[in-house]
């Protein structure tokens, strides 16, 4: 499992259109990244 920065995720979303950074797509292919899972953690605030 990898923790990805939003910039990496943004580049991976561009892959199908061919506009992604080639180094990012090469890394994703070589590392076996098959899908992305989004996990958001929030904190309750007293308003």
């Amino acid at each position: 499992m990898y923790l990805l920065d939003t910039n990496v995720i943004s580049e991976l979303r561009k892959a199908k259109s061919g506009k992604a950074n080639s180094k990012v797509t090469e890394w994703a292919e070589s590392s076996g990244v098959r899908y992305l899972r989004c996990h958001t953690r929030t904190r309750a605030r007293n308003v």
Side-chain angles (χ1 to χ4, degrees):
M1 178 170 44
Y2 296 96
L3 176 62
L4 301 177
D5 186 73
T6 54
N7 293 332
V8 174
I9 295 169
S10 176
E11 287 301 314
L12 292 175
R13 292 185 64 200
K14 298 176 192 176
K16 285 188 178 180
S17 66
K19 296 179 181 179
N21 181 297
S22 62
K23 296 294 184 185
V24 174
T25 54
E26 288 172 15
W27 168 81
E29 290 171 358
S30 68
S31 67
V33 173
R34 299 284 182 251
Y35 61 90
L36 298 176
R37 182 178 184 181
C38 179
H39 182 80
T40 304
R41 188 174 177 180
T42 60
R43 217 170 64 170
R45 295 187 320 178
N46 292 335
V47 178

